[in-house]
Amino acid sequence: MASPIWAAKPLFRELAMSASQPSTAGQRFRWAVDRELPLQVPGAVNAMCALLAQRAGFRALYLSGSGVASASHGLPDLGVTTLADVLDDARRITSVTDLPLLVDADTGWGSALMIERTVRELIRGGVAGMHLEDQVDAKRCGHRPGKQLVSVPEMNDRLKAALDARSDSSFVIMARTDAASVEGIDAAIERATQYVETGVDMIFAEALTSLDEYRQFTAAVEIPVLANITEFGRTPLFSVDELRDAGIRLVLYPLTAYRAMNAVAARVYETLRGAGTQIDLIDSMQTREELYEVLDYYAKELSEGKSNRK
């Protein structure tokens, strides 16, 4: 079998061959994509989740727009949160870890001027990259029915605004297409190839339903393609090995940990309310020592004590 197109085309060849990691967030993200095939990118809804993912050995992180809406604001993923909302959560994550963070920028929150501002603010916030989607501004979750798309020229205008706004050329601009479940796989691939011609760095192929569809995408697109392996959606839960064989370069798990956290929290509240004690929950909890280890609590406490004695 011939090697897939992407195999011979690292994004950041000189850094992929280097023993030392690059300095900017965008460079670190490109370096990680070249080092791990495919790169697993878990979602982190807050700084603590980011630290836990880092300890588990992941090389990159993701901030989901749906996660920002529901975890931070108790709102559905219907385009109701703002750039400021996303920036708050992104900065909290980039302040505690050097892992590169990919951010869901929805449709860019407005006009070309707003998209330009989005890029500048995310770079200023230490973010590695963002993806823009080709839905209308009143967007829906990518795995829900009733999605509507903008025209290819309008999407390309969004992407050009983002590309032109980069003060850091390594900041990753990823184009997400939701066309597969609206216009069909051939139209989605055609859209993706036009976004590549516009100059984007990566493609987010949303809501595909088979490995064959991913193979069609990666055969037609000469830049890295991301597979969104989200639970309870249209896409089956393909394994890393299956997606590697299909030519996928990045595998996204946007809300896996968050959904598990919510399920556990619901059981905890129900048990605490019903039993009047948490004694039966202790074995399922993170201990105080485990929390302190993640936070490097004792070293920071010692450092603070020394500072106060000066």
Side-chain angles (χ1 to χ4, degrees), residues 42-46 49 52 62-77 89 230-232 253-266:
V45 296
N46 56 36
C49 287
L52 292 172
Y62 178 69
L63 181 62
S64 159
S66 177
V68 171
S70 60
S72 295
H73 299 277
L75 295 170
D77 183 23
D89 284 352
T230 186
E231 303 81 20
F232 315 111
Y253 312 96
L255 294 170
T256 305
Y258 176 56
R259 289 192 174 103
M261 291 160 56
N262 285 344
V264 172

Side-chain angles (χ1 to χ4, degrees), residues 138-158:
K139 57 151 291 178
R140 290 174 177 260
C141 167
H143 292 256
R144 293 287 299 153
K147 295 187 295 184
Q148 295 179 291
L149 308 180
V150 298
S151 67
V152 171
E154 183 172 344
M155 178 59 173
N156 277 331
D157 285 344
R158 290 177 181 175

